[in-house]
Every structure is written in C-alpha cells, then in structure tokens.
Amino acid sequence: MSNIFKVLKKDEVSAKNQQTFDKIKSVYGAVPNLYSTLAYSENALDAYFTLESGKTSLSVKEAEAVNLVVSEVNDCMYCLSAHTMVAKQSGFTEEQTIEIRSGYAKFDAKLNALVQLTKELSEKRHVETENLLNAFFESGYTKENLMDIIILIGDRTISNILHAVTKVPIEFPLAKKIDQSAS
C-alpha cells in the first residue's frame, strides 16, 4: 500500500462522503485538500466536519487566534496558511497574526490572555502557570470559553497531525515563517 495521499475528488469517494463534500462546498465554496484526505475513511470526514462546524462561545477572531497558536506550536504550514488567510479576513493584520503565532497579542489585553493560555495548553497539555489561567478569567473569559478553547485545540491538533502525515498540497497563500527565537 502506498503512503502517498492524493487529493480525492468527489467521484472517487463513497456516496456518504460525496454528501459531506457537498456540505463542505456549501460552507467554504470548495473542498479544502485536507478535508479531501479524510474521505479515505467512510466515517472520518463527516465526524471531523461535525466537530469543525460546531458552535462555540468564542468570537471568530478569538477562534482564529487559537487556530494560529496551535498550528504554530505544531508547526503545521497548511493550517497556518489557511488560518492566516481567515484571520486576515476576520480583521487581523498580517503583523497581528504573526504576533499571535508568537504567543502574544499585546495589541489587545483580553486576547493576549487567551493567546498565552492557548500556547501553554498546546505546548504542555496542562496549566503549568496558574497566573495564565487567572489572567484568562480576570480578563472576562468564562469556564464555557475555556471548554471551547480546549475543544478547538483538539480540533486544530487533528488537522495539524493530518497534514503532517498526508502532506497534501497547500492551496492557500503560504503563511510567513516566523523566528520563534526572537519572541
């Protein structure tokens, strides 16, 4: 069996996945390459799309900040590229996306608390620095927001691993590489 993953087309997937392709296309206008690879499984594509399209208590900008942090921690150029594009569409500047990826959002105190906590949870899988959790709550976030961040970290981690394994082509403008040693 080959370890090469091609971008599957609608006519190459099961009837169930064809229906999910249609749902994805209605949301995004196309089926992103990474979603296409999930169609190798009869169940994974629908399960992932359900997770990905679930409701959250986070704003679009907050969710994109989480996506950027997790994808940077996991060094996933596919997701960094996709979410840099979406983050810019949601109102972030290029400079702000790079700052967020570096683990800070000094331009917004509340968002900074979210970004720093997300980075720690993504890197360490627990809260090592209690002051980050305290700052998160003191800035106005809730326990509901924290649960939604944890789900989003899991969601993004799935896609980061998926790209690391499949290496499907990135169809978005490439995100700039950043020097983490400078942060």
Side-chain angles (χ1 to χ4, degrees):
M1 176 173 275
S2 173
N3 63 350
I4 305 295
F5 291 85
K6 71 176 195 161
V7 176
L8 297 173
K9 304 292 182 225
K10 185 176 176 181
D11 63 353
E12 298 175 303
V13 303
S14 70
K16 177 182 175 184
N17 282 336
Q18 287 180 13
Q19 290 177 342
T20 306
F21 269 36
D22 290 341
K23 288 185 215 172
I24 294 167
K25 190 172 182 182
S26 75
V27 172
Y28 299 116
V31 178
N33 291 348
L34 204 59
Y35 282 88
S36 168
T37 61
L38 286 163
Y40 278 97
S41 165
E42 181 67 18
N43 302 302
L45 178 62
D46 189 58
Y48 185 73
F49 184 63
T50 298
L51 174 64
E52 181 80 2
S53 57
K55 293 184 184 207
T56 181
S57 62
L58 302 171
S59 72
V60 171
K61 286 180 91 168
E62 290 165 334
E64 287 310 315
V66 172
N67 289 329
L68 289 170
V69 171
V70 176
S71 297
E72 185 68 38
V73 167
N74 292 328
D75 194 26
C76 180
M77 185 52 72
Y78 186 98
C79 293
L80 285 170
S81 298
H83 290 287
T84 294
M85 183 183 77
V86 175
K88 288 179 187 176
Q89 291 170 346
S90 70
F92 286 118
T93 66
E94 176 79 19
E95 295 74 25
Q96 288 171 332
T97 65
I98 291 170
E99 186 175 326
I100 290 167
R101 289 170 52 196
S102 298
Y104 300 95
K106 293 177 183 171
F107 57 91
D108 181 312
K110 184 176 182 183
L111 191 63
N112 191 48
L114 176 143
V115 166
Q116 288 185 1
L117 181 62
T118 298
K119 184 172 184 192
E120 179 153 301
L121 289 172
S122 298
E123 289 177 341
K124 300 185 176 156
R125 306 292 191 239
H126 67 280
V127 178
E128 188 170 282
T129 313
E130 282 295 319
N131 66 342
L132 291 180
L133 191 57
N134 293 337
F136 176 79
F137 289 127
E138 288 168 6
S139 70
Y141 288 108
T142 66
K143 290 178 181 175
E144 177 184 22
N145 298 140
L146 179 59
M147 296 305 112
D148 288 344
I149 288 168
I150 292 168
I151 291 297
L152 194 52
I153 290 169
D155 173 3
R156 196 55 41 235
T157 300
I158 290 167
S159 62
N160 295 166
I161 293 169
L162 182 63
H163 189 260
V165 171
T166 65
K167 296 176 179 53
V168 295
I170 300 169
E171 68 267 40
F172 309 102
L174 290 181
K176 291 181 182 176
K177 291 265 188 190
I178 62 171
D179 181 10
Q180 284 292 349
S181 67
S183 60

